[in-house]
């Protein structure tokens, strides 16, 4: 099998995301870029992730052209490949409709702020205005909202998109964005909301960057 390593990483990540309740049905898609060739492994479109094998994961080029695999690649290929073209530091990308991230991406005050130290690594979380799923337009807007170093964005009335230097980093961004959205949601329900102080967020980001965060 060609590109076995990245296909397996995509498969493991999508099954992990299903286990964690970040993906419902066939929604959500995950991609991983090859270290040597300009190709990307990505989950196929409309196929149940349960029972999926590494061979079922599609291979596309950096422009989204389908190169290998028995099933059509995810309809969100443009979003994943546009980010990888714009950001050579990004090797893995995750798009999900996590319940709380999707809820928090509905309102006008969709800005997510960190309420616990580990969340600091993934802020600021960008906001992408609603555009049609699968379009080049949504792909361009995700690239713009991520900027040169962003790890996570909310997509209005749709879900979220996260990225990282490897699959572990992209999945961590996804998990902590969903956690930020969940804590923000419940804090709003309680009626009071104290985000972490700005100085604390800055210090945590420094510790995380220096790999000294506990
Ligand atoms: Zn979606």
């Amino acid at each position: 099998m060609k590109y076995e390593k990245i296909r397996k990483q995509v498969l493991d990540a999508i099954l992990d995301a299903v286990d964690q309740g970040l993906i419902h049905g066939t929604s959500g898609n995950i991609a991983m870029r090859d270290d040597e060739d300009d190709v990307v492994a990505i989950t196929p479109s409309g196929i149940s992730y349960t029972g999926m094998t590494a061979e079922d994961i599609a291979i596309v080029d950096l422009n989204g052209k389908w190169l290998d695999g028995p099933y059509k690649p995810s309809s969100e290929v443009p979003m994943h490949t546009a980010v990888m073209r714009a950001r050579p530091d990004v090797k893995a990308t995750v798009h999900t409709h996590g319940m709380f991230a999707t809820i928090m991406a509905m309102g006008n005050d969709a800005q997510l702020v960190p309420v616990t130290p580990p969340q600091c690594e993934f802020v600021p979380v960008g906001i992408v205005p609603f555009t049609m799923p699968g379009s080049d337009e949504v792909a361009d807007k995700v690239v713009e909202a991520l900027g040169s170093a962003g790890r996570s964005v909310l997509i209005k009335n749709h879900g979220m998109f996260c990225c990282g230097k490897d699959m572990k980093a992209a999945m961590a961004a996804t998990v902590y964005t969903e956690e930020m959205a969940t804590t923000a949601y419940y804090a709003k329900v309680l009626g009071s909301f104290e985000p972490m102080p700005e100085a604390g967020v800055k210090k945590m980001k420094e510790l995380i960057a220096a790999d000294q965060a506990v």
Side-chain angles (χ1 to χ4, degrees):
M1 184 192 356
K2 277 190 276 181
Y3 305 113
E4 188 172 356
K5 193 175 152 203
I6 51 172
R7 281 177 143 145
K8 278 190 169 161
Q9 281 186 284
V10 168
L11 178 68
D12 289 349
I14 199 88
L15 295 177
D16 184 21
V18 170
D19 273 356
Q20 296 199 54
L22 291 162
I23 282 179
H24 312 281
T26 61
S27 77
N29 26 79
I30 293 185
M32 177 90 204
R33 182 180 189 157
D34 190 67
D35 281 334
E36 283 144 29
D37 293 348
D38 279 341
V39 299
V40 175
I42 186 161
T43 43
S45 177
I47 311 287
S48 168
Y49 297 128
T50 313
M52 186 170 277
T53 65
E55 286 95 332
D56 296 336
I57 304 293
I59 299 290
V60 298
D61 69 15
L62 275 180
N63 292 311
K65 190 178 163 222
W66 183 12
L67 301 177
D68 194 36
Y71 303 111
K72 207 168 165 261
S74 162
S75 57
E76 295 289 9
V77 153
M79 202 150 67
H80 295 268
T81 52
V83 170
M84 289 181 188
R85 286 195 306 271
R87 290 270 302 271
D89 61 307
V90 166
K91 295 281 191 259
T93 46
V94 178
H95 164 57
T96 79
H97 303 171
M99 175 74 77
F100 288 94
T102 305
I103 292 170
M104 295 307 290
M106 287 161 56
N108 287 324
D109 55 347
Q111 185 73 44
L112 289 186
V113 289
V115 289
T116 67
Q119 297 169 359
C120 297
E121 184 178 345
F122 310 102
V123 292
V125 176
I127 307 290
V128 177
F130 181 79
T131 26
M132 286 308 288
S135 64
D136 286 332
E137 196 187 356
V138 74
D140 291 345
K141 295 214 178 294
V142 167
V143 168
E144 194 184 317
L146 281 170
S148 61
R151 298 279 302 280
S152 174
V153 294
L154 295 181
I155 307 169
K156 280 197 99 173
N157 303 95
H158 185 172
M160 65 164 137
F161 186 93
C162 293
C163 62
K165 63 178 178 168
D166 53 27
M167 190 57 82
K168 194 175 159 217
M171 285 297 286
T174 308
V175 167
Y176 280 111
T177 300
E178 181 67 4
E179 187 191 76
M180 251 184 280
T182 308
T183 45
Y185 172 85
Y186 281 110
K188 276 176 188 283
V189 170
L190 279 174
S192 66
F193 194 142
E194 280 288 334
M196 273 180 61
E198 251 177 62
V201 174
K202 189 166 173 277
K203 184 72 189 161
M204 269 312 295
K205 280 180 93 73
E206 283 165 16
L207 288 174
I208 290 163
D211 210 13
Q212 284 169 6
V214 283

